[in-house]
Amino acid sequence: MAAHATAAHSRILLPRVASAPGASSNRRASAIRCVSAAPEEDQKTSGRVATVKNSGDSLMICRVLNGMWQTSGGWGRIDRDDAVEAMLRYADAGLSTFDMADHYGPAEDLYGIFINKVRRERPPEMLEEVRGLTKWVPPPVKMTSNYVRENINVSRKRMDVSCLDMLQFHWWDYSNPGYLDALKHITDLKEEGKIKTVALTNFDTERLHIILENGIPVVSNQVQHSVVDMRPQQRMAELCQLTGLKLITYGTVMGGLLSEKFLDANVSIPFAGPPLNTPSLQKYKRMVDAWGGWSLFQVLLQTMKKVASKHGVSIPTVAVKYVLNQPSVAGSMVGVRLGLSEHIKDTNAIFSLELDDEDMNSITEVSKQGRDLLKVIGDCGDEYRRI
């Protein structure tokens, strides 16, 4: 169960809130039932796939998702043809769920080229398995129906699909309640058949509760979650347990910090250790500093290496499996540097790895020695909203 479960439970059972303008009574009734009834599902989703769902909406995804943030620049030049061929290799290996965003450089365009090659060059059953999850990250302007529709149509055109498998919505400024208007219009587009499932990214527990109370049928919330950043297992996981909503996680291998490459490495002296030369490495190094510093991080890496050696796998494989074993986690992201490097074998090893109680407890013990990041940073997504 989530840490501090009793206290978290008392905090997240928030009072009823006003509905979004135009929200239907059916939507509100559905949301109230969802919030009041704890699902009877098992606490862990196992196997290669998981289903995220809410009311009549559902989507089956691969539990390890191919994250395409790396196409946005900062990790090396992406060659279009090489990238698409790499996407085909991932899909051929059974890693068929791709996560992208409207602002990830050419990610949506690459997916459009890729999905057309799947249609032409692969059997129909592969087309049924491939999933393209995208995000919409608008500025906090007035969310009219036309504005939302025009922006979603851009993603549909770039990805060359009539219906988006999943649209994950992000909002920068909670003081502007326009996110409820946007989600209402997104739900309307879902009902028109232009979006299969509605989801969120980087929303905190309080706003997630409000959104559910307003009858928006979100199936998941994508949040940062790793053995270092266990914030989602506090307030957020408690609400997920009550509602059946799932988490999709990113930052699970911390941009590569959770790997043998940084074991026994000294990054405080220039040129003494591996360079922190990508946006993700720099971002997650700051998270390590907030959590407990490099010395404690080395203890964590040593512990995870011991577990990895026991099972004949790598540290990143252990890092992802540890998070997949957490309550309410449907899937975890592994970033792909398409056409530059591949980790298909290591990624597929995640599915066959079984961490026993001793493995999980040894990692948890070190993780808990760090600071409580919920107190240091705030709830999920607050790292993007605090100056």
Side-chain angles (χ1 to χ4, degrees), residues 84-103:
V84 171
E85 289 301 316
M87 294 175 75
L88 287 168
R89 288 192 292 274
Y90 276 94
D92 287 337
L95 302 167
S96 54
T97 300
F98 296 84
D99 179 88
M100 65 211 82
D102 59 339
H103 62 291

Side-chain angles (χ1 to χ4, degrees), residues 36-332:
S36 64
E40 297 298 327
E41 300 175 0
D42 55 333
Q43 298 301 305
K44 292 179 185 176
T45 305
S46 59
R48 294 185 67 94
V49 297
T51 299
V52 292
K53 59 186 178 181
N54 188 332
S55 301
D57 303 332
S58 67
L59 187 71
M60 185 176 290
I61 61 171
C62 181
R63 294 205 71 203
V64 179
L65 299 87
N66 305 312
M68 295 178 66
W69 181 30
Q70 284 82 350
T71 65
S72 61
W75 287 265
R77 181 181 175 274
I78 297 290
D79 177 87
R80 186 191 71 176
D81 294 339
D82 289 347
V84 171
E85 289 301 316
M87 294 175 75
L88 287 168
R89 288 192 292 274
Y90 276 94
D92 287 337
L95 302 167
S96 54
T97 300
F98 296 84
D99 179 88
M100 65 211 82
D102 59 339
H103 62 291
Y104 286 3
E108 290 183 335
D109 301 299
L110 290 172
Y111 183 86
I113 300 169
F114 156 76
I115 200 65
N116 267 304
K117 288 183 78 73
V118 172
R119 290 167 183 152
R120 295 193 309 267
E121 302 175 7
R122 295 296 188 273
E125 51 265 30
M126 177 177 282
L127 185 61
E128 292 298 315
E129 294 173 359
V130 170
R131 299 287 183 266
L133 285 52
T134 194
K135 306 180 195 76
W136 183 39
V137 185
V141 298
K142 185 174 178 60
M143 292 289 121
T144 66
S145 176
N146 284 339
Y147 182 80
V148 174
R149 182 182 298 272
E150 288 170 3
N151 279 273
I152 301 311
N153 282 342
V154 170
S155 289
R156 291 171 59 228
K157 182 177 181 179
R158 293 179 70 192
M159 296 174 67
D160 200 10
V161 293
S162 60
C163 177
L164 299 175
D165 288 326
M166 178 185 287
L167 191 283
Q168 301 166 103
F169 176 71
H170 174 88
W171 190 251
W172 292 108
D173 182 9
Y174 291 146
S175 68
N176 179 345
Y179 65 90
L180 290 172
D181 297 318
L183 285 165
K184 173 191 174 294
H185 299 315
I186 289 169
T187 303
D188 290 341
L189 292 173
K190 178 192 72 70
E191 292 171 356
E192 292 177 20
K194 293 179 171 59
I195 300 169
K196 191 171 295 181
T197 52
V198 178
L200 305 172
T201 180
N202 290 316
F203 271 81
D204 66 8
T205 310
E206 181 180 350
R207 255 55 61 159
L208 175 57
H209 187 280
I210 290 170
I211 288 164
L212 291 172
E213 279 285 288
N214 274 275
I216 307 299
V218 296
V219 298
S220 62
N221 187 21
Q222 186 177 137
V223 294
Q224 182 173 293
H225 191 355
S226 69
V227 63
V228 165
D229 186 359
M230 294 294 289
R231 289 176 297 157
Q233 291 307 316
Q234 296 177 282
R235 299 187 72 200
M236 183 66 66
E238 182 74 5
L239 179 57
C240 289
Q241 292 290 310
L242 290 170
T243 62
L245 185 134
K246 296 296 184 181
L247 299 176
I248 296 174
T249 74
Y250 65 89
T252 307
V253 296
M254 304 189 74
L257 285 179
L258 285 169
S259 69
E260 282 78 2
K261 182 177 181 179
F262 288 92
L263 178 63
D264 298 325
N266 186 343
V267 297
S268 62
I269 303 173
F271 310 112
L276 302 175
N277 58 357
T278 68
S280 51
L281 284 172
Q282 293 159 12
K283 171 185 177 180
Y284 293 116
K285 173 56 166 61
R286 292 192 293 271
M287 196 61 57
V288 167
D289 294 341
W291 167 72
W294 195 251
S295 294
L296 182 58
F297 187 67
Q298 286 301 309
V299 176
L300 178 62
L301 284 178
Q302 290 159 9
T303 302
M304 297 179 77
K305 179 60 178 177
K306 182 178 179 181
V307 172
S309 297
K310 170 182 168 182
H311 294 280
V313 297
S314 67
I315 290 175
T317 300
V318 172
V320 176
K321 191 67 174 201
Y322 180 86
V323 170
L324 285 175
N325 282 353
Q326 300 302 316
S328 298
V329 174
S332 291

Side-chain angles (χ1 to χ4, degrees), residues 330-347:
S332 291
M333 207 81 58
V334 174
V336 289
R337 298 176 67 180
L338 298 171
L340 299 175
S341 63
E342 288 185 7
H343 305 283
I344 291 174
K345 183 179 178 181
D346 277 351
T347 301

